[in-house]
Amino acid sequence: MAYRHSPDPHHRRFVVDVVFWYLMGHGSWRNSYEKESADLLVAWTAEGEGDPEILAEVLRVLSETGHRETEGVGFRYADHPDPRVRARVPDLFLDWDAHPPYWSPEARAALLVLAADEDGGVRDQAGRVLAAAHDGSREVTDALVALLRDPVAAVRGGAAEAVAPGKDRTAAVADALAALLDEDEFTTRLNAAYGLLRREDARTEEAIRRVGSLSRPGYEHDHRLSALWTWQWERDHPPTPTEQ
């Protein structure tokens, strides 16, 4: 921890890595430094960090802690000038341990702002958090639809991945997913088709056709492709009267 205030950024980055190891390591309660590590990260954000790359990593690790002050840290850095830092803020606003995940009204408002950020990476991360804890509101649905139609292909792809298994069953989201079936990126088309299938959308058959070949190296155990295969098999092999 003596390296925490070192002028050498490599030393400070080393501290972040050590703290992450303490948080993620599976020690017993006798040698756990989880609370001390989380407190150190919060103090670090309060004191400030001049290197945006290191600060982004501090926020990333802090988001893994569930510390009671993570939301406050998120508000402090939500308008940071470096997009790498802003991109780490959305995860600070969501209580991932709650069932379902929970955000405060203030955090929700901040997430909606970040979902319209000028930087695509920030928009992507905000969209993933909004999709994970969708509260059923029109505002969140509109934000997700905007991300599914984002001018940046990577943002559209990230939004499709986040939205596809989600609980938003509105026509606006289904239509936005269907519009992604012409994307060049295979995973974006796959997520769009998977999202339509989960919504029992009438366009599912056409969506699967536009995904292309379902035999893809590296995707042998992919749950989305498995779902598409199963849907096709059940369509082609309807139960007989005796099976019904």
Side-chain angles (χ1 to χ4, degrees):
M1 294 303 101
Y3 283 125
R4 159 68 185 86
H5 297 285
S6 171
D8 187 335
H10 293 93
H11 290 172
R12 302 199 303 280
R13 177 58 188 264
F14 171 70
V15 176
V16 179
D17 291 343
V18 170
V19 170
F20 182 72
W21 184 87
Y22 275 130
L23 289 168
M24 298 296 106
H26 299 287
S28 71
W29 66 269
R30 294 178 182 275
N31 59 8
S32 172
Y33 289 94
E34 183 173 349
K35 181 181 184 303
E36 293 86 347
S37 297
D39 288 343
L40 181 146
L41 293 169
V42 171
W44 196 334
T45 64
E47 295 167 11
E49 167 56 57
D51 188 314
E53 183 177 357
I54 295 175
L55 176 57
E57 283 301 292
V58 170
L59 298 183
R60 179 187 67 81
V61 177
L62 178 61
S63 70
E64 302 279 355
T65 68
H67 195 284
R68 65 184 182 281
E69 295 186 32
T70 54
E71 182 182 89
V73 173
F75 288 129
R76 186 178 306 131
Y77 288 103
D79 59 354
H80 192 277
D82 195 295
R84 291 172 295 180
V85 175
R86 297 198 305 278
R88 294 301 181 185
V89 168
D91 278 339
L92 297 171
F93 285 142
L94 193 61
D95 182 357
W96 293 97
D97 292 330
H99 299 286
Y102 169 80
W103 56 40
S104 70
E106 296 79 11
R108 175 183 178 277
L111 283 166
L112 290 172
V113 172
L114 290 168
D117 192 271
E118 64 181 8
D119 182 81
V122 178
R123 297 196 301 275
D124 179 33
Q125 292 303 314
R128 291 175 185 274
V129 173
L130 286 171
H134 196 326
D135 58 4
S137 68
R138 175 66 180 272
E139 291 83 2
V140 172
T141 292
D142 288 347
L144 293 174
V145 169
L147 292 170
L148 288 167
R149 297 172 176 168
D150 196 272
V152 178
V155 176
R156 297 194 299 273
E161 180 181 14
V163 168
K167 55 189 177 183
D168 188 317
R169 296 294 188 266
T170 60
V173 165
D175 290 344
L177 286 170
L180 296 176
L181 294 170
D182 288 326
E183 291 283 320
D184 293 332
E185 180 62 42
F186 167 72
T187 55
T188 301
R189 301 197 309 276
L190 173 60
N191 281 312
Y194 178 63
L196 292 173
L197 182 154
R198 285 183 59 95
R199 288 160 175 79
E200 299 181 352
D201 192 278
R203 292 164 287 192
T204 297
E205 182 174 1
E206 173 64 12
I208 295 175
R209 186 187 68 79
R210 289 164 70 179
V211 167
S213 173
L214 300 185
S215 298
R216 299 269 176 166
Y219 287 84
E220 291 83 0
H221 304 290
D222 190 285
H223 69 282
R224 297 162 300 183
L225 274 182
S226 177
L228 301 189
W229 273 110
T230 299
W231 189 94
Q232 281 192 325
W233 193 91
E234 291 179 347
R235 178 204 60 187
D236 297 336
H237 300 80
T240 64
T242 56
E243 292 174 326
Q244 292 175 339

